[in-house]
Amino acid sequence: MFNQIYQYNFPTTIRFGAGVSKELGDYLLKNKLSKPLIVTDPTVAQLDFFKEIVTDLKKKNISTEIFKDIHKNPVKSDVYKGTDVYDATSRDAVIGMGGGAALDVARAIVLRVNHREDLFKYDDLIGGEVFVTNDVPHFITVPTTAGTGSEVGRSAVISDDETHQKKILFSPKLLARIVYADPLLTMELPSFITAATGMDALTHNMEAYLAKMSHPLCEGIALEGISIINEFLDKAVNKPDLESRSKMLIASLMGAVAFQKGLGVVHSLAHPLSSLLDTHHGLANAVNIPYGMQFNIEGFEYKFKRIARALELKQETGEAVVTYLFGLNSKINIPHRLADIGVKREHIETLADLAIADFAHPNNPKAVTREDFKQLYLRAL
Ligand SMILES: NC(=O)c1ccc[n+]([C@@H]2O[C@H](COP(=O)([O-])OP(=O)(O)OC[C@H]3O[C@@H](n4cnc5c(N)ncnc54)[C@H](O)[C@@H]3O)[C@@H](O)[C@H]2O)c1
Ligand SMILES: [Fe+2]
């Protein structure tokens, strides 16, 4: 690696800890912001902590406007509607408060406010980042799930309304100015969402560690993220407490810091399930990860040895890592088979077409062909 030049970027200011979301109002006032658009989803908007935060902002004379009209796998029209609300109510900042879906819509609104070409002109896969040239509104993120790590990301995953293909909008300008990561907001997450989002975080850390690019900083973070998830995911799902919730929130954030290095085959297997069948992103990764990791072992045994060590496995091999992943899925009630989450044999060809076109696998350590995707889906079916 030492005959090349690399660029390493690290994320925004992160305020982390139980109760830290209470600082939001003072932060806005300090920055002379008084009209934020809060982007969330219909479920989070009903939760007590959300209402308390909004009430607290109102008490501080901050005018809040809530946009919650988003899809589970967000689409372009969600972003357009949210931007219309931003304009119509003359907002001066955007707060993304919710799971990855809400944070992605918030980030895409941040982009769209001063960039009014078709949203997918900014698609990173076709070099759209170069068109992100104007200023963007002040952007704050408050995660309420522990999985995507989107709060520290610079990209938003938004699907086409018609084709459902996932597009990735990317620019360093889309980094939040500050993140309020408050584990208290995740205390009431249902066990199924804790499990699925936790496996998304594990997939980020594992795929980032394995991804092609040389990035020792991210690799160190990813291995520590894997180790934390090994210790706390089962507990966060089956016997949650503040410690396990806090550890999962930091590990999810670490996964997203690490995956600026790249993702891989598992995310490319997962994205088409969300596009075609509306499967939750974390669940799609969770079911696919043992199969994707099995595919990656050959030629990368030395890396799997490090992963096995982070997981404190007796046998430091790729096969032991795969066995561990099936075992973890069992403990947290994630099915082992795609058939259990609604995939049918007749979906396989379309899934393989979508997977080969996906943006994640070019960074996989091993090249993946369409036939490989088809065989992986068949194995997991
Ligand atoms: N930008 C990125 O880097 C990135 C990375 C991975 C995934 N994603 C995207 O993130 C999305 C998935 O995000 P997610 O896994 O957080 O799921 P999500 O945002 O869909 O949330 C899952 C469910 O949990 C509910 N929920 C959220 N917070 C809650 C809380 N505190 N208590 C109770 N319920 C709560 C939501 O209402 C929703 O029903 C997908 O659209 C995916 O494409 C983005
Ligand atoms: Fe993910």
Side-chain angles (χ1 to χ4, degrees):
M1 69 172 276
F2 292 105
N3 55 3
Q4 281 186 53
I5 292 170
Y6 296 89
Q7 175 167 319
Y8 302 132
N9 299 300
F10 272 84
T12 183
T13 304
I14 300 161
R15 297 280 299 159
F16 183 94
V20 76
S21 56
K22 291 195 170 54
E23 295 179 0
L24 188 53
D26 287 341
Y27 174 84
L28 291 168
L29 293 176
K30 204 176 95 194
N31 287 280
K32 301 194 170 26
L33 300 164
S34 59
K35 298 179 85 184
L37 178 71
I38 304 182
V39 181
T40 189
D41 69 45
T43 308
V44 172
Q46 308 256 342
L47 300 176
D48 286 345
F49 72 75
F50 183 88
K51 291 180 192 159
E52 280 164 25
I53 290 174
V54 172
T55 306
D56 184 58
L57 296 183
K58 281 184 183 153
K59 272 192 205 146
K60 294 191 158 85
N61 285 328
I62 293 165
S63 140
T64 54
E65 184 70 36
I66 296 163
F67 177 69
K68 58 183 164 72
D69 195 9
I70 68 166
H71 288 80
K72 183 172 143 195
N73 283 294
V75 289
K76 181 161 89 174
S77 59
D78 298 339
V79 179
Y80 283 28
K81 279 186 203 154
T83 312
D84 289 346
V85 175
Y86 184 99
D87 290 343
T89 58
S90 309
R91 300 287 100 192
D92 60 7
V94 176
I95 302 173
M97 196 183 302
L103 299 189
D104 276 2
V105 174
R107 181 170 288 111
I109 292 172
V110 166
L111 168 67
R112 182 152 176 80
V113 165
N114 291 327
H115 297 84
R116 293 304 172 103
E117 303 277 352
D118 185 282
L119 190 66
F120 294 150
K121 183 177 173 187
Y122 309 101
D123 177 0
D124 193 42
L125 258 195
I126 54 167
E129 186 203 336
V130 299
F131 301 113
V132 186
T133 49
N134 299 329
D135 287 344
V136 298
H138 201 111
F139 182 36
I140 300 156
T141 52
V142 186
T144 67
T145 60
T148 71
S150 177
E151 59 274 14
V152 293
R154 290 161 295 171
S155 51
V157 184
I158 303 290
S159 301
D160 187 290
D161 285 70
E162 272 85 46
T163 65
H164 298 289
Q165 198 185 357
K166 289 199 172 222
K167 311 270 187 182
I168 184 149
L169 309 169
F170 169 88
S171 167
K173 290 183 178 217
L174 303 181
L175 198 62
R177 297 273 286 273
I178 191 159
V179 180
Y180 286 102
D182 185 344
L184 288 181
L185 309 190
T186 68
M187 289 306 286
E188 303 301 324
L189 271 173
S191 62
F192 162 71
I193 296 171
T194 307
T197 51
M199 287 304 286
D200 187 26
L202 182 60
T203 309
H204 294 156
N205 281 295
M206 281 198 183
E207 293 212 290
Y209 178 65
L210 292 167
K212 259 190 211 159
M213 180 190 171
S214 174
H215 198 320
L217 293 79
C218 285
E219 288 175 16
I221 290 172
L223 286 175
E224 181 62 11
I226 291 168
S227 166
I228 294 173
I229 293 171
N230 174 43
E231 206 175 337
F232 291 101
L233 177 55
D234 182 7
K235 194 156 185 222
V237 173
N238 293 311
K239 224 176 162 212
D241 58 7
L242 183 59
E243 185 186 27
S244 55
R245 292 298 192 189
S246 301
K247 294 287 186 174
M248 284 309 300
L249 189 58
I250 196 73
S252 104
L253 206 149
M254 290 163 80
V257 172
F259 84 60
Q260 60 179 296
K261 186 183 166 224
L263 288 169
V265 61
V266 181
H267 269 77
S268 287
L269 286 163
H271 286 148
L273 297 179
S274 302
S275 307
L276 196 68
L277 304 167
D278 215 22
T279 312
H280 177 266
H281 174 73
L283 177 64
N285 276 315
V287 178
N288 280 300
I289 190 175
Y291 304 94
M293 287 298 143
Q294 177 78 59
F295 173 83
N296 277 336
I297 298 172
E298 199 187 346
F300 298 91
E301 289 83 357
Y302 66 104
K303 287 206 134 180
F304 277 93
K305 188 172 177 174
R306 301 284 305 276
I307 294 177
R309 274 189 198 158
L311 294 170
E312 298 180 344
L313 300 179
K314 281 200 190 88
Q315 279 185 312
E316 294 179 350
T317 63
E319 284 71 19
V321 171
V322 173
T323 305
Y324 166 87
L325 290 167
F326 279 120
L328 179 60
N329 274 344
S330 295
K331 281 193 211 163
I332 60 175
N333 298 317
I334 301 263
H336 288 195
R337 298 257 156 223
L338 291 176
D340 297 329
I341 58 167
V343 180
K344 298 197 165 52
R345 191 165 280 265
E346 68 248 34
H347 294 134
I348 301 287
E349 295 295 337
T350 312
L351 289 172
D353 284 340
L354 290 167
I356 194 69
D358 186 69
F359 58 81
H361 70 84
N363 284 310
N364 197 61
K366 248 166 102 170
V368 199
T369 64
R370 187 188 177 285
E371 183 60 21
D372 291 329
F373 280 116
K374 185 175 161 185
Q375 292 308 323
L376 282 165
Y377 283 130
L378 285 170
R379 205 167 302 154
L381 191 63

